[in-house]
Amino acid sequence: MLCLFLCVSGDANPKESSPFINSTAATDVEKSQQYDSKSMALFEEEMDTSPMVSSLLSTLANYSNLPTGSKEHEEAENNEEGPRPSKKPVKAPQLGTLMGVYLPCIQNIFGVILFLRMTWMVGIGGVFGSFIIVFMCCSTTMLTAISMSAIATNGVVPAGGSYYMISRSLGPEFGGAVGICFYLGTTFAGAMYILGCIEILLIYIFPQAAIFKLEGLEGAEAEIALLNNMRVYGTIVLSLMALVVFVGVKYVNKLALVFLACVIFSILAVYAGVINTAFEPPTFPVCLLGNRTLMSKGYDVCAKVIEIDNETVTTKLWSSFCDSDSLNATCDEYFTNNNVTEIQGIPGVTSGILAENLFGYYLEKGMFLEKRGLLSNVDPDSPTTNSNRYVLADITSFFTLLVGIYFPSVTGIMAGSNRSGDLRDAQKSIPIGTIAAITTTSTVYMSCVILFGACIEGVVLRDKFGEGVNGNLVIGTLAWPSPWVIVFGSFFSTCGAGLQSLTGAPRLLQAISRDGIIPFLRVFGHGKANGEPTWALLLTASICEIGIIIASLDSVAPILSMFFLMCYMFVNLACALQTLLRTPNWRPRFKFYHWALSFLGMSLCLSLMFICSWYYAIVAMGIATCIYKYIEFCGAEKEWGDGIRGISLSAARFALMRLEEGPPHTKNWRPQILVLMSMDATQNVEQPRLLSLTNQLKAGKGLTIVGTTVQGTFLSNYTDAQRADQSLRKLMETEKVKGFSQVVISSNLRDGTSHLIQVGGLGGLKHNTVMVSWPCNWKQPEYYQQFRNFIEVVRETTLASLALLVPKNISSYPSNGERFTEGHIDVWWIVHDGGMLMLLPFLLRQHKVWRKCKMRIFTVAQMDDNSIQMKKDLIMFLYHLRLDAVVEVVEMVRESVQLFRVTCFAITIKTFFYLLQIQSITDSSRGSIRRKNPPTLQSQHKAEGGDAVAEKPEEKVQLIHNKNASTPTSPTSPTPPAEPPAGGAAAWTDSKGADKGRTLSPAAPAEAGKDLFSMRPEWENLNQVDLRRMHTAVRLNDVITKKSKEAKLVLLNMPGPPKNRVGDENYMEFLEVLTEGLNRVLLVRGGGREVITIYS
């Protein structure tokens, strides 16, 4: 939190504007005088980067929110635009709980639905069904308000309150996605309130103002004319409201008092009217033909005929259903068979009409509004005529539609939190004002449901536009002293709610833009000098115009419900997560919350989303998901200590503890790679293609640790280590390697590499594979220590049972952008290594670089092996492993496969088929094919090695001596005898002939075809084991080169290192000879366990 008060540049030097250090160039004497006077000389070094407690407390005490859209406490870290010219601070409106939260919430909640749709909902859904809807929606908002109060009192809430609370609790991705959805919902809510305002104006106040006249139009034509009128007038009203908001929020607050007074008087008029119906019910007659409700404009008297001067005269109603005014006229059959009755539209609270209105009466579009309990004489076979004379249902109604239409009436609960930048004390005002507003409105809503059902006739309740009661607003017929109180009150109420939406939505967008998490929205973070979001207001008005063009209040309302419910759901989720995670910073002042209440609220929100409209719910979630992914890939990375990161930490800890329970099963094995990188003098990576290969191997989705060593001491070379870490991270980002970087500072590179191998990873999440590049220039004297370190890495990985990958000629490996359109990946399976050689090509071929390459597997057969049977067995083995590869068995003499002192390939295959036949095999043995040495093979080893010279350090002979002085000779020309070097060692002469042969001095050409191991007595002092190894390397290289010269990659078993360090150079020469003439070679050593299995 100190970053709020101290801005530090990249080199850790405080800026000149720092309130704690006046000058960064102060001398030691000046510092001494400065701190001595404060008795703080002991801490003068810390004072350069940390504030004194007195200064910190002073700054905290003087803290206040800046103008609307004030800077958040994180913005001190993100001052990307540099210092600006100092401006005179503009005082923000300091609003309290009543003006800042309670009244805006009241105005938004008591908006359009209460006055225009509440009575219709009660008539369609019944008192019982409507009460369930109201209770469910109000409970959802109350639970959300409790969660919101806990979050709002857990710290300072700057502008964009609801977005701020979600983003800081669930992270920038969730916060941005839900924030945009909530912004769209708030913006369309403004459109809905404006549409309600125009509906009241054109239908109930001044119908003559309609530009598109409705007289003479019926059915769909009248509906289209009404929508066009709402589009025109809605655009005009939207422009006026946007102008008022642009002038300043203080004018909105002044108008809010007027609008609120209208709302309060309207509600009081309704309650007064209810009381008045108990003594003197108002006269609002409704005319019924049979049990069907007639439109009031279609008659002057509710009768077919009337008596005037003892003469029967037909009425206007008669003319509507008959072809003439004559009593003998032909009339509509239903009109003839049914009587006309007149009932009271407001029978009163003591009339007992509540029992009739208890249950729902759902209608199809175009159905007649009929009175329950009143019979009519209708012929089911006769066609319906003159339907335009009756009051008809304008839409098909059902329970879930009512939920979707009603829920926007309770969505104003965040009107106060959206304007948190204007509040004097947001932590106090938001909980108190929001909960008080919800309590008030919920009480009014629930009581209105019961009172409407107890006072108003059912056919009137179901009459949405009051067509049966002379075009009056239905709720207005109940009001006292006059219906006009409700009409004008509802008009100003909807205007006020629209203004509040147009005030809150731009501030929400401004808060999202200033966070910078969505790049293309940054322009909307700017505004006027006093912080008013001008550009955001312009965008809000443009989006609101889309809702005006839709023009149907009933069509817009369910869409709003989706966006608001999604926002409320994530508010509850944020509170529940913070409570369950018990993070140290979770200390809300509001104590009346619980994670169970938050989960209940979240469940209600999710349920209501699918109850309202499952397809709208899916669309809303899809929009939020797209925004989430856009922020994840393109947005700025923010660290806000959010709950999602807390979940990640808790889940990671739990997973690591589970991994400690035992090693993973073979089916779950995947390469967890430690990549050992080398750095140059400027701490830049020398071999970046190692990470390219790592990326191509990551189809296994395992752990990746990229490590390097910086030589020196921690105190002296820490800056170098940071620079090296930055280089690794930058390269990992370039190569798209998902993993971790680790830099170790050690006195020498050998120990640092050893430390990385030992301590890399955490707990059970440790590397099981080490990748290190082949030391290309190991023969040169200046690289002597490099190849020694390489061999030590081989020894350490062998001892630690880690797999080892050694790519040779790494610079020739493809980058991630290259593509092989054809070619082969050749696997030379000499010995069984647990399946690493099988698994690696499979992983490589999952990457787009190697996808078109085909896999070939070569194995070596001895003279006494059945190569045909071996091939069949290997094909069957690959079939059970679900691997596609071409198989080839190469026959060589027995001596040529003594490269390793391990089990030959044939024994491995036989063991595999032996395991397949065992039915009672245990789970622990299913993942591995155990290696065994048959007695015959062991005795064979003893017989062949009986004449070998004992491998003792003091008797070890060196095959390679003075390599720089050795002279290549022709394989066909004799080499004169040379004097043996000191120490009894003989010189190994390298030949680069086409047949890859090697010539031994002083042997003659005629003896070249002899068995090399029977040459005596000239070779009595030579190490027979090393000779056989070199001979095998030459023969294997010859075969591999012939078969795999054009392969894109060759994977080969890597021999084990010598036990004695005297033979390190021989070991490197063996590997050089083995891989000579091959472009890309990947030497592989298994980790001593099975990594691939035939079992599911």
Side-chain angles (χ1 to χ4, degrees), residues 532-776:
E532 289 295 318
T534 306
W535 293 106
L537 176 61
L538 182 62
L539 178 64
T540 301
S542 301
I543 298 175
C544 192
E545 179 64 22
I546 298 175
I548 299 297
I549 292 174
I550 295 175
S552 174
L553 186 111
D554 296 328
S555 300
V556 174
I559 301 175
L560 304 184
S561 300
M562 296 301 110
F563 290 124
F564 283 119
L565 281 167
M566 183 176 297
C567 178
Y568 298 165
M569 179 178 67
F570 280 100
V571 169
N572 285 290
L573 175 62
C575 180
L577 287 181
Q578 296 282 21
T579 306
L580 291 175
L581 290 175
R582 301 179 183 274
T583 54
N585 192 55
W586 179 246
R587 302 183 301 274
R589 294 184 181 276
F590 182 80
K591 302 299 181 182
F592 305 99
Y593 70 94
H594 194 271
W595 65 266
L597 294 178
S598 299
F599 267 116
L600 178 60
M602 184 182 66
S603 302
L604 279 174
C605 290
L606 186 62
S607 301
L608 285 176
M609 286 181 67
F610 284 92
I611 287 174
C612 293
S613 174
W614 63 268
Y615 45 89
Y616 278 167
I618 293 176
V619 171
M621 289 182 175
I623 293 174
T625 302
C626 293
I627 299 172
Y628 178 96
K629 287 299 181 181
Y630 174 80
I631 297 174
E632 185 178 27
F633 288 107
C634 303
E637 293 185 3
K638 299 285 185 178
E639 175 50 61
W640 288 330
D642 51 85
I644 296 298
R645 187 166 181 83
I647 290 179
S648 301
L649 292 173
S650 299
R653 182 185 64 85
F654 177 78
L656 286 173
M657 298 302 294
R658 288 291 304 272
L659 289 176
E660 286 291 300
E661 297 177 1
H665 193 273
T666 303
K667 291 183 288 187
N668 295 325
W669 193 96
R670 59 193 66 194
Q672 320 274 18
I673 303 177
L674 168 63
V675 186
L676 299 178
M677 307 292 292
S678 57
M679 315 293 285
D680 58 17
T682 59
Q683 305 305 327
N684 292 320
V685 179
E686 290 184 342
Q687 297 168 329
R689 287 297 172 87
L690 269 179
L691 287 188
S692 300
L693 178 61
T694 303
N695 175 270
Q696 295 158 22
L697 279 171
K698 291 317 291 176
K701 304 296 183 183
L703 172 72
T704 300
I705 303 175
V706 182
T708 189
T709 301
V710 174
Q711 190 168 356
T713 62
F714 186 80
L715 295 178
S716 303
N717 299 90
Y718 181 69
T719 304
D720 294 337
Q722 285 185 313
R723 191 158 51 246
D725 186 67
Q726 291 176 359
S727 298
L728 291 180
R729 289 178 182 271
K730 183 177 180 180
L731 182 60
M732 291 172 67
E733 182 178 356
T734 302
E735 298 293 341
K736 298 181 180 180
V737 174
K738 303 292 185 181
F740 309 97
S741 62
Q742 190 168 1
V743 180
V744 172
I745 303 176
S746 179
S747 57
N748 59 79
L749 298 179
R750 170 83 287 279
D751 290 344
T753 304
S754 179
H755 296 158
L756 281 172
I757 295 175
Q758 293 179 61
V759 302
L762 177 64
L765 192 62
K766 295 178 68 67
H767 55 274
N768 53 29
T769 305
V770 176
M771 180 184 292
V772 60
S773 180
W774 172 265
C776 301

Side-chain angles (χ1 to χ4, degrees), residues 901 944-951 1016 1022-1025 1028:
R901 296 177 178 177
E944 293 174 352
D947 298 331
V949 179
E951 293 187 43
R1016 300 188 183 192
L1022 292 180
N1023 189 326
Q1024 298 291 335
V1025 176
R1028 286 187 298 166

Side-chain angles (χ1 to χ4, degrees), residues 35 47 404 446 540 693 719 793 845 869 882 899 980 1015:
Y35 295 116
M47 290 296 173
M446 292 181 185
T540 301
L693 178 61
T719 304
V793 170
R845 293 183 66 224
Q869 185 62 37
R882 289 91 64 199
L899 184 59
M1015 291 184 178

